[in-house]
Amino acid sequence: PRGQIYGLAATPQRLDLNAAGAHTPINGLYIAGADVVGNGIGGAMMGGLIAVSSALGWSTFSKVMKPSPSASPARAPKA
């Protein structure tokens, strides 16, 4: 009822997409981490990405999420 070891309690109200986001009432201050969009490691990673994208512009999000040509299995070094 008071939260979890890695953030706020995962209640339906907390996970409501209308409440999620990195913006705060203080100009230039953004929230990053699991409490932005979801819980756990994945939520913390995406929360950081959303905070950076909020500060630098949403094109940052698409640049980070775009697959790298070097990550293609076709280009992986042969063993």
Side-chain angles (χ1 to χ4, degrees), residues 4 7-8 16 18 21-22 26-28 32 34-36 45 50 53-54 58 60-61 63-64 66 68 71-72 74 78:
Q4 299 174 358
L8 300 172
D16 180 8
N18 293 326
I26 301 171
N27 190 28
D35 292 327
V36 175
M45 183 175 60
I50 288 173
S53 296
S54 295
W58 281 104
T60 306
F61 186 87
K63 288 177 186 175
V64 171
K66 181 179 177 183
S68 169
S72 171
K78 294 181 180 183

Side-chain angles (χ1 to χ4, degrees), residues 14-17 19-22 31-39 42-48 50:
R14 175 65 190 115
L15 298 177
D16 180 8
L17 291 179
I31 299 170
D35 292 327
V36 175
V37 293
N39 296 323
M45 183 175 60
M46 290 305 293
I50 288 173

